[in-house]
Structure formats: structure tokens, C-alpha cells
Amino acid sequence: MTNPTMITRTIELAARLYVFVFINIYGMGKMMVGQFHTRGHLPEQLVQTPLSEVGGFDLAWTFFGYSRAYVLFIGMSQVIGGFLLLWQRTKLLGVAILIPVLLNIIIVDYCFTIPSGAMWSAVVYLVLLFLVLYLNREKVVAAFSALTAREAMPALDWKQWLLMLGVAGVMMIGLFLVEVFGVH
């Protein structure tokens, strides 16, 4: 296997499969109620500790475990992103889903002093996803260019611009009132 394209594709596939396997272990663990401290299932030592003395790890794990819906959202994001890595057509979408998830995990692990092994794993997965982006840089650049391309729009005279600005302002006020009074 001396073909450079074949070597590159094999490296990419190994990176995608590695992240798929391990991100799914973490995602499934969350969905199976195995990772966080859930309501009614707090460690006895934690229950007896005043909140001001609880460490970052237990604070984070209790916070995340408080909402089953949130835990399912995180776990499903990991599983869906991981599965999207399996196919050529969806691999970059999987990367786009997983990069913010992994960045959040790394920040939480750092800020709440989660044991460094978990953060190291997340960093490895993130590096592998950046490798996939790098190996697909032409597609990534083309997609970014398409998303940020300037649209050809007809020029507006100052009266049209003022009218559009005024209507937009009225719409903003209306949205603000709906937001403020819709809450109460």
C-alpha cells in the first residue's frame, strides 16, 4: 500500500473509527445513567458535605446529573456525531457536531478539576477530528467559502435604506415586547 492517497485515507479512517468507538462509549454511558450523580442517587459522602465544601468534580457531576433531558442531549450528541463519522458523505457533519461537544468537555474538565485522564481523552479525540478536517481541507475551505460568499444584492438608495432600517427597528421592538411579556 504505497499509494499516498490510500495511506491518507487509511489514516483518516483510523482517526474516525477511533473517535467513533470511544465517543460512543462515553455517549452511551451518559444515556445509560452511568456517568453523572443523579437525583436520588448521590454518593452518601457527598450528601453529608456542605455545598461550600463540595469539590469541582462533584459539583459538575451533580449539576449535569440533575437534568435527565440534558444528559440525554449530551449523550445523543456524542452518539449521533460519532455515527456520522462512519460515512464519507456525513463525516464532516459528524466533526462539526463533535468539535463543540469536545471543546465543552475539555473546558468543564479543566475548570472543575475533573481527573486529567478524561480531559486527555477528549483532547486526543479533538486532535483526531482536527486531523480529519485537515485531510479534508479542500472541502472545508469550499464549504466555508460558500457559507460566507457575498450575495449579489441590488443597491439601495438612502430612502429605501432608512425605510428598511425603520421597519427592522419596529420589528425588533415587537420581538422584545413578545419576549418580555411572554415570560410573565
Side-chain angles (χ1 to χ4, degrees):
M1 180 166 49
T2 59
N3 181 346
T5 302
M6 192 66 160
I7 293 170
T8 301
R9 290 180 70 182
T10 303
I11 291 169
E12 180 193 307
L13 180 62
R16 289 174 23 218
L17 290 175
Y18 190 86
V19 174
F20 162 76
V21 168
F22 291 100
I23 206 76
N24 268 279
I25 290 170
Y26 281 104
M28 293 289 185
K30 288 174 180 70
M31 294 190 303
M32 300 295 184
V33 192
Q35 187 169 4
F36 300 120
H37 302 325
T38 58
R39 286 187 281 174
H41 296 90
L42 296 174
E44 188 59 36
Q45 177 186 0
L46 181 58
V47 172
Q48 302 301 325
T49 305
L51 187 57
S52 62
E53 295 175 21
V54 174
F57 175 86
D58 287 318
L59 278 174
W61 256 226
T62 304
F63 170 77
F64 288 123
Y66 179 81
S67 170
R68 181 75 181 128
Y70 186 68
V71 172
L72 288 173
F73 172 75
I74 296 170
M76 287 175 59
S77 296
Q78 289 175 308
V79 169
I80 290 168
F83 270 96
L84 290 171
L85 294 176
L86 294 178
W87 294 277
Q88 284 291 339
R89 292 182 64 158
T90 59
K91 66 186 175 189
L92 294 178
L93 183 57
V95 170
I97 290 170
L98 290 174
I99 284 177
V101 170
L102 287 167
L103 285 172
N104 186 58
I105 290 169
I106 291 166
I107 296 299
V108 167
D109 287 356
Y110 177 77
C111 292
F112 290 90
T113 61
I114 308 303
S116 60
M119 183 168 55
W120 175 246
S121 294
V123 168
V124 168
Y125 310 149
L126 184 64
V127 167
L128 290 172
L129 292 178
F130 281 127
L131 175 64
V132 172
L133 283 181
Y134 175 76
L135 295 174
N136 291 274
R137 61 192 172 277
E138 295 85 15
K139 287 182 183 179
V140 173
V141 168
F144 187 76
S145 295
L147 290 171
T148 59
R150 187 168 205 177
E151 296 179 36
M153 298 184 68
L156 300 175
D157 65 29
W158 68 271
K159 289 180 185 175
Q160 292 171 317
W161 175 248
L162 284 178
L163 176 64
M164 194 169 77
L165 191 60
V167 171
V170 169
M171 290 173 70
M172 288 175 58
I173 291 168
L175 289 169
F176 176 76
L177 293 174
V178 167
E179 178 184 346
V180 169
F181 293 112
V183 172
H184 301 299

